Amino acid sequence: MRKIVYTLLMAVFVPVAMTAGDYSTYYENLPVTMTEVTKPVIPANKVVLTDFGAKGDGVTMCTEAFKKAISALTKQGGGHLVVPEGIWLTGPISLKDNIDLHVERNAIIQFSPDKRDALKTDENGKPADRATPGIIASKRKNISITGEGTIDGNGKWWRPVKRGKVSDTEWSQFKNMGGTITPDGQLWYPYQLKSMPDVAADYEAQERMRAHLIRLTDCENVLVEGVTVQNSPRFHIVPQRCKNVIIDGVTVRCPWNAQNGDAIDIGNSQNVLIVNNVIDCGDDGICMKGGVGEAGVKAGPCENILIMHNTVYHAHGGFVIGSEFCGGMKNIVVRNNTFSGTDTGLRFKSSIGRGGKTENIFIDHIYMNNIKDEAIVFETTYWDNHVGAKKQEQKERTFVPDFTDIHISDVVCYDVKTGISAHGEKGMIHGIDIRNCTIVYTKTATDIAEECEITLEGVETRPL
């Protein structure tokens, strides 16, 4: 009887503790000093989306209902917009100060497959040359996206598909949608579809219009918690130049072959906590970006980033820095994470013209298995080979990558093609130590160029 009472008490009290917003335990015994994050402060006001004429039938467009609900809360100083169970078809949603978008269990925010719904128009009715992200906020404070529901970007109506990444059956399904196949037969674009109109003069122009699913720019006090974010036209969660950001307990998922299907991309942001998330995506899993050129320098570094207790299944890299990081990377701790089925585990990628400097990067207790290529890889000849891109020679030796002051320890990796790989000109990869690791490989233990200065200590490699 006492055991039953104790269990019931825990069921009551544990959720209260979780909502208290105390993240101090994550910051214990860190190798660098970091400012602890805090949850945004949201007023207690609450409205329900249905109060503004919305219907969760998957047919009725709810764009205006979202806009009116957020406006009503803003007039009250902010509060919680509750999205109840149902399928809520909508265009872009713009968050304001002090707003919590709360997506309840069995609620799906479904972004419209009609590309026209994602295009803003000017005063003359001319549409923008790029789609608006599904959820967007700029220069806002105290914003959150919470709940147990789902946010679906309907990305298949935007993303190109590489022939080599789909089966014959899947390729036929895409062709049955209509679309445009390139002359070499290697790419399918969702252009000239049977059921949806185009928004550009040709498939290449329309491809350039693809937007992210959740983009938060120059915001402060941000929380994304509990929701499932999936099927983005491009990247899924993108805080850019933000401060005090928490991404906690989120599931990010899309097809493994989704073009540019990054899960979480942190750009030039400070004081960020990424914990307890599950990721299965088409490109990089948890990625740090620092901008290109002088604009990246002006935006500042990714600084004071703590990444713990996340699981990454498919991704091009479990944890990634680059390829662009001209603004720099400073005080980043990655510990107690699992990568299972990623192409690479710890990936550091850049090139001349896109590089910056890394400082105080500490990575430990990473557990990997079934890694397709490398467990740990440094590359400084990477180029952004997105669909339609053409490789260009970098003539000026500016913004040269400087991967240094990186400390990796206690990594266990089972079943990887290559354990540790590093290639770059002298001075680009140096001051790096890898300690107390065990790597079980299928082809190559280490492939480290002599120009790269990496210290290995207590690293055990074994063939599978």
Side-chain angles (χ1 to χ4, degrees):
M1 183 64 182
R2 287 182 179 177
K3 185 175 181 180
I4 294 173
V5 171
Y6 175 79
T7 302
L8 290 173
L9 286 172
M10 287 301 291
V12 172
F13 287 116
V14 168
V16 175
M18 289 176 65
T19 58
D22 180 10
Y23 293 99
S24 60
T25 55
Y26 293 113
Y27 291 86
E28 295 175 357
N29 302 315
L30 295 184
V32 294
T33 300
M34 286 191 184
T35 301
E36 293 182 16
V37 296
T38 57
K39 280 190 173 183
V41 178
I42 306 293
N45 306 314
K46 183 177 76 172
V47 300
V48 181
L49 188 62
T50 50
D51 295 340
F52 299 87
K55 294 181 180 180
D57 56 11
V59 176
T60 304
M61 282 294 291
C62 302
T63 310
E64 284 302 310
F66 275 106
K67 184 177 180 179
K68 290 176 181 178
I70 291 170
S71 178
L73 281 173
T74 299
K75 291 176 181 178
Q76 300 176 52
H80 305 267
L81 168 53
V82 177
V83 182
E85 62 180 24
I87 299 180
W88 310 91
L89 189 65
T90 185
I93 299 169
S94 180
L95 298 180
K96 307 299 182 183
D97 291 343
N98 310 314
I99 297 293
D100 168 44
L101 179 63
H102 185 77
V103 190
E104 291 192 331
R105 179 180 291 184
N106 296 324
I108 300 176
I109 295 177
Q110 182 77 63
F111 287 95
S112 173
D114 190 332
K115 299 179 184 69
R116 294 173 298 181
D117 292 328
L119 298 181
K120 291 183 177 179
T121 56
D122 61 20
E123 61 275 8
N124 298 316
K126 183 180 178 180
D129 58 2
R130 185 155 187 169
T132 301
I135 298 176
I136 189 169
S138 178
K139 299 180 180 178
R140 300 297 178 184
K141 290 186 177 181
N142 297 316
I143 56 174
S144 61
I145 303 168
T146 63
E148 299 177 79
T150 299
I151 300 168
D152 191 307
N154 230 340
K156 74 175 183 179
W157 301 98
W158 282 99
R159 293 190 302 261
V161 176
K162 290 184 176 180
R163 177 65 184 94
K165 287 190 172 184
V166 295
S167 66
D168 291 346
T169 300
E170 291 170 310
W171 187 247
S172 294
Q173 290 172 346
F174 284 111
K175 289 196 296 183
N176 287 337
M177 294 169 62
T180 301
I181 298 175
T182 54
D184 61 5
Q186 295 305 303
L187 276 169
W188 175 91
Y189 287 88
Y191 186 79
Q192 295 184 338
L193 296 169
K194 293 177 181 178
S195 60
M196 291 294 165
D198 298 314
V199 291
D202 55 61
Y203 66 82
E204 292 179 326
Q206 186 165 280
E207 160 61 14
R208 291 192 292 270
M209 298 175 74
R210 268 197 299 155
H212 308 313
L213 182 47
I214 300 175
R215 182 174 176 84
L216 312 170
T217 307
D218 298 304
C219 294
E220 187 173 349
N221 306 334
V222 173
L223 171 68
V224 184
E225 181 181 57
V227 292
T228 294
V229 180
Q230 65 182 27
N231 203 20
S232 174
R234 204 173 180 90
F235 302 167
H236 287 76
I237 303 175
V238 187
Q240 178 70 34
R241 299 188 303 275
C242 292
K243 293 181 173 61
N244 192 47
V245 177
I246 303 164
I247 303 174
D248 182 4
V250 172
T251 298
V252 184
R253 57 190 297 271
C254 68
W256 74 270
N257 49 16
Q259 197 66 34
N260 308 113
D262 291 35
I264 300 172
D265 279 31
I266 305 299
N268 303 88
S269 296
Q270 294 81 47
N271 304 332
V272 179
L273 178 66
I274 302 173
V275 290
N276 309 316
N277 303 291
V278 176
I279 292 168
D280 195 335
C281 67
D283 209 310
D284 289 328
I286 302 172
C287 185
M288 306 291 108
K289 293 185 177 292
V292 178
E294 291 296 343
V297 174
K298 184 178 179 180
C302 274
E303 184 173 7
N304 296 336
I305 317 287
L306 179 56
I307 301 168
M308 295 179 65
H309 305 313
N310 302 285
T311 299
V312 182
Y313 293 109
H314 186 272
H316 287 184
F319 169 76
V320 181
I321 289 180
S323 64
E324 66 275 20
F325 70 108
C326 295
M329 300 282 153
K330 185 176 182 180
N331 287 6
I332 299 176
V333 176
V334 184
R335 59 173 37 169
N336 299 108
N337 297 282
T338 296
F339 306 148
S340 181
T342 59
D343 289 354
T344 60
L346 302 171
R347 187 183 191 192
F348 305 85
K349 59 177 181 176
S350 192
S351 63
I352 294 172
R354 303 176 74 87
K357 185 176 182 179
T358 58
E359 304 173 64
N360 288 338
I361 313 297
F362 292 88
I363 303 172
D364 64 83
H365 293 90
I366 307 297
Y367 305 97
M368 314 183 203
N369 73 330
N370 302 326
I371 306 301
K372 176 176 171 285
D373 296 318
E374 302 97 351
I376 303 170
V377 57
F378 294 86
E379 53 182 321
T380 61
T381 56
Y382 179 87
W383 69 287
D384 185 12
N385 58 342
H386 60 272
V387 167
K390 295 181 181 179
K391 191 172 183 179
Q392 296 180 347
E393 183 180 353
Q394 184 68 33
K395 296 180 180 180
E396 296 184 12
R397 293 185 63 83
T398 55
F399 302 105
V400 176
D402 187 5
F403 286 120
T404 187
D405 199 8
I406 298 173
H407 313 278
I408 301 171
S409 66
D410 300 287
V411 172
V412 179
C413 181
Y414 178 84
D415 192 2
V416 63
K417 182 179 179 181
T418 300
I420 303 169
S421 175
H423 293 272
E425 295 180 32
K426 190 172 182 60
M428 291 186 183
I429 301 170
H430 63 108
I432 296 166
D433 55 82
I434 303 175
R435 306 178 188 276
N436 304 324
C437 299
T438 302
I439 299 173
V440 180
Y441 64 92
T442 60
K443 185 177 181 180
T444 306
T446 60
D447 179 17
I448 302 174
E450 62 180 12
E451 294 83 6
C452 303
E453 300 174 21
I454 298 178
T455 299
L456 304 183
E457 182 178 309
V459 175
E460 181 180 358
T461 59
R462 294 185 180 182
L464 181 62

